[in-house]
Amino acid sequence: MTSLRGALGLRTCLRTLSAAAAEPWGAPAASFAPQADCAPSTSYGSAECSSGWQRWWRRGGGGSGSSGGALSSSAAARLQHSDAARAASLPREVTYQVVVVTGDVRGAGSPAPAVVTLVGSEGESEPYLIGDSTAGEERGFERATRKSYALPSRYLGELQRVHVQQLPSSSDGAGVGWYLDRIEVAGPEGQQWLFPCSAWLGKANHPAGLDGDHERNLAPAVVRPSTHHSMKEPSYNLLGAPLHPEVSAVALPHPEKAAAGQKGLNKKGFGYGGEDSYFYCNNHNGITAMGVADGVYMWREQGIDAGLFSRRLMEFARHSVDLGTTDVLRVLQFAAKRLRLEGIQGSSTACIVLIDQLQGRLAAANLGDSGFIVVGRRRGDARGAASSSASGRRGQLTVKYRSPQQEHSFGHPYQLGKPGCHFDGADLPEDAMLTTMPVAPGDVVILGSDGLWDNVSEEELLDEVEKDVLEGVKPSVIAQRLAFLAFTNSLDKHKQTPYSDAASEAFDMVYEGGKQDDICILCAAIN
């Protein structure tokens, strides 16, 4: 087996790999024997590199620890385990079957190798070099082909994303355009994951001149696409015309803040109300982006402007999209990094959604109890039914997907912050839940802070959106009506709401009424 240091003279590109640049490099990677029907790959992570589970342990996942110095007697006693006990505590070694599918369009193939890293709920694999001619396979990736690899790894749990990066070619030292259709992964217990890409990596070969990036984070598909689109670029074959999402948003401050004179700001593309903020925009790569952030009000007790964090988070996310970013996790990472560099204190939940107009696909990164929902027509309904009379037409729409909330415990959602500074309990952008799914004309995407989700049930939201769609109203009207519904429910002390249901379950008591809060809602109608 060939380590990355010896493959294709790529020693200098180690520092270019953003997914692993911060890790120390040591001995060459251990080799392994691939299965007979699989092309071999090369791990370029060394024995000194910190894997996901090791980083998790350092962040406190392995239990509490002291500030340093000698172990206490009780701690020393706890370390006196048998060899069998220590072996049982180590992550078990398994093999993941990875299939890399190159698209069937002109120039889709590439002579350059690539690196893949699997990231799961239990950690991440070492980075593996694939498409390397020195490992006994054809160099790079040919057009309209499937290449299979057997990747040994610690058990990773539920896979959450795949990081893929194209390396410089040996001839000119630059990336060569590669159209990656998708990556399929089979787990050791029969699990199956699909990670769509349908995009160029490296130098852009796209006939429309869209930018290509050398690396991408691929999210697992929540709805498996039709197989007849396999290895076809959706901008050519999937859609007859690009999607045209129409977006509007509204933000309202908490009633007490409004009574104290605070006002919400709602402008085209950006706004806020209280500690809630939002943005939406388009970029030259055919992306419609939306985001919502909910700052944590309690920071005000420490003299920190809780709303500034969420507002700047959304501003930086929009800036990343304006630069042409098409990777939703990288948008969130960019915004979080800029916040750290500027030293902005506080914390916030975040939900960012990118709609690819050419591919007809939604990608989302959600951290905390903000979230999104996709409403669309039931199968078999005619596309033009929305223009018909609303009489007798109810029940056409259904919830196609709703993002789950991320909470450490009730009332303590995941939130971005600045770990190691004023907020050691902050979560990272990489902790966000990533999802991707196809969307089509007639779908409606709703983003909201917990001011929406705590006060409006899924059934109420679906009923309101369906009524509005059948009436043919604009997204601006849908957003305003949902905001008014959430506001009204939040003031009702006797209404059964999602918040009252959750509180009753968490505290083992009967709780009634809504939750007064800032409210932020974005609505995208896809045409």
Side-chain angles (χ1 to χ4, degrees):
M1 275 315 119
T2 308
S3 72
L4 182 64
R5 294 184 177 221
L8 303 175
L10 298 176
R11 182 189 303 268
T12 59
C13 75
L14 292 175
R15 294 183 178 87
T16 71
L17 303 175
S18 61
E23 301 295 347
W25 295 93
S31 61
F32 65 95
Q35 294 189 354
D37 61 344
C38 294
S41 67
T42 306
S43 164
Y44 69 90
S46 71
E48 297 176 21
C49 286
S50 297
S51 64
W53 70 274
Q54 290 170 318
R55 285 194 289 274
W56 168 80
W57 185 274
R58 289 203 301 269
R59 289 181 58 199
S64 60
S66 64
S67 59
L71 289 172
S72 66
S73 58
S74 59
R78 288 196 297 270
L79 293 177
Q80 303 304 312
H81 300 300
S82 65
D83 290 341
R86 286 198 298 272
S89 67
L90 293 175
R92 60 189 177 97
E93 295 292 329
V94 297
T95 299
Y96 289 87
Q97 305 297 327
V98 176
V99 177
V100 179
V101 182
T102 298
D104 185 14
V105 296
R106 173 179 287 185
S110 169
V115 171
V116 296
T117 306
L118 309 181
V119 181
S121 59
E122 302 297 327
E124 65 184 60
S125 72
E126 293 182 344
Y128 290 98
L129 180 66
I130 59 175
D132 173 20
S133 62
T134 63
E137 58 177 292
E138 292 294 327
R139 176 166 29 184
F141 306 91
E142 297 77 32
R143 171 180 172 177
T145 56
R146 298 167 56 94
K147 285 193 172 182
S148 300
Y149 303 89
L151 306 186
S153 171
R154 297 178 179 88
Y155 179 70
L156 304 177
E158 182 71 17
L159 289 193
Q160 297 174 337
R161 60 186 169 97
V162 172
H163 182 270
V164 56
Q165 180 165 3
Q166 187 185 42
L167 300 183
S169 67
S170 58
S171 59
D172 59 6
V176 179
W178 173 37
Y179 189 82
L180 174 62
D181 184 81
R182 64 185 184 273
I183 290 179
E184 302 169 359
V185 182
E189 299 172 344
Q191 311 99 314
Q192 298 286 334
W193 293 278
L194 174 67
F195 297 88
C197 181
S198 301
W200 292 98
L201 279 78
K203 184 173 60 179
N205 283 358
H206 194 287
L210 302 185
D211 289 346
D213 204 338
H214 289 282
E215 61 180 302
R216 282 180 177 267
N217 291 283
L218 307 184
V222 295
V223 179
R224 195 174 184 91
S226 173
T227 57
H228 74 272
H229 296 135
S230 174
M231 297 192 298
K232 298 292 184 181
E233 184 178 3
S235 60
Y236 297 159
N237 304 94
L238 181 57
L239 296 175
L243 299 177
H244 294 285
E246 183 180 354
V247 185
S248 187
V250 61
L252 304 175
H254 188 290
E256 293 181 0
K257 300 173 188 175
Q262 293 190 32
K263 297 181 179 180
L265 174 69
N266 292 284
K267 300 173 62 176
K268 184 176 182 180
F270 178 76
Y272 58 85
E275 280 67 55
D276 285 5
S277 301
Y278 69 82
F279 85 95
Y280 61 91
C281 64
N282 299 309
N283 72 13
H284 64 276
N285 280 327
I287 296 294
T288 295
M290 302 181 289
V292 60
D294 180 3
V296 178
Y297 178 80
M298 297 301 293
W299 285 114
R300 289 185 176 273
E301 298 180 359
Q302 299 186 28
I304 296 173
D305 183 352
L308 178 62
F309 191 97
S310 63
R311 292 194 296 272
R312 297 293 278 166
L313 178 66
M314 292 293 93
E315 289 174 5
F316 290 140
R318 176 171 181 169
H319 182 52
S320 177
V321 176
D322 288 340
L323 291 173
T325 306
T326 58
D327 183 325
V328 69
L329 178 57
R330 294 184 69 186
V331 171
L332 188 59
Q333 289 171 328
F334 176 93
K337 181 177 181 179
R338 288 292 303 272
L339 284 169
R340 291 196 300 271
L341 292 175
E342 293 200 0
I344 298 175
Q345 296 184 331
S347 62
S348 172
T349 67
C351 180
I352 297 176
V353 168
L354 305 185
I355 300 174
D356 193 310
Q357 301 166 12
L358 299 179
Q359 298 176 16
R361 191 168 69 236
L362 176 152
N366 185 51
L367 187 85
D369 57 4
S370 296
F372 73 99
I373 193 169
V374 180
V375 174
R377 298 199 171 276
R378 299 180 185 275
R379 291 186 177 182
D381 285 339
R383 290 181 56 184
S387 61
S388 63
S389 171
S391 176
R393 303 295 298 177
R394 302 297 283 273
Q396 296 179 71
L397 301 188
T398 186
V399 173
K400 299 175 69 173
Y401 180 77
R402 178 175 178 181
S403 61
Q405 291 186 345
Q406 288 181 307
E407 288 186 323
H408 295 290
S409 60
F410 179 75
H412 296 87
Y414 284 38
Q415 49 193 289
L416 289 174
K418 193 175 181 181
C421 183
H422 70 290
F423 184 25
D424 289 334
D427 299 291
L428 302 175
E430 293 76 18
D431 294 321
M433 180 174 293
L434 303 183
T435 53
T436 186
M437 61 177 294
V439 287
D443 288 347
V444 177
V445 183
I446 305 292
L447 270 71
S449 64
D450 62 344
L452 170 65
W453 308 116
D454 282 343
N455 292 299
V456 179
S457 68
E458 187 173 297
E459 293 76 14
E460 286 180 300
L461 184 143
L462 179 61
D463 187 66
E464 178 62 43
V465 170
E466 180 167 43
K467 178 183 68 177
D468 296 341
V469 168
L470 292 175
E471 290 179 0
V473 301
K474 296 288 187 178
S476 58
V477 177
I478 299 177
Q480 291 170 9
R481 289 181 176 178
L482 286 174
F484 179 75
L485 177 61
F487 179 79
T488 301
N489 289 353
S490 72
L491 299 177
D492 191 335
K493 297 181 179 180
H494 302 289
K495 185 174 179 61
Q496 182 178 354
T497 62
Y499 180 80
S500 67
D501 290 342
S504 297
E505 181 178 353
F507 302 126
D508 194 23
M509 59 176 287
V510 177
Y511 189 89
E512 291 183 333
K515 177 191 174 189
Q516 296 185 37
D517 202 348
D518 302 327
I519 297 170
C520 186
I521 298 172
L522 295 95
C523 176
I526 300 178
N527 304 307

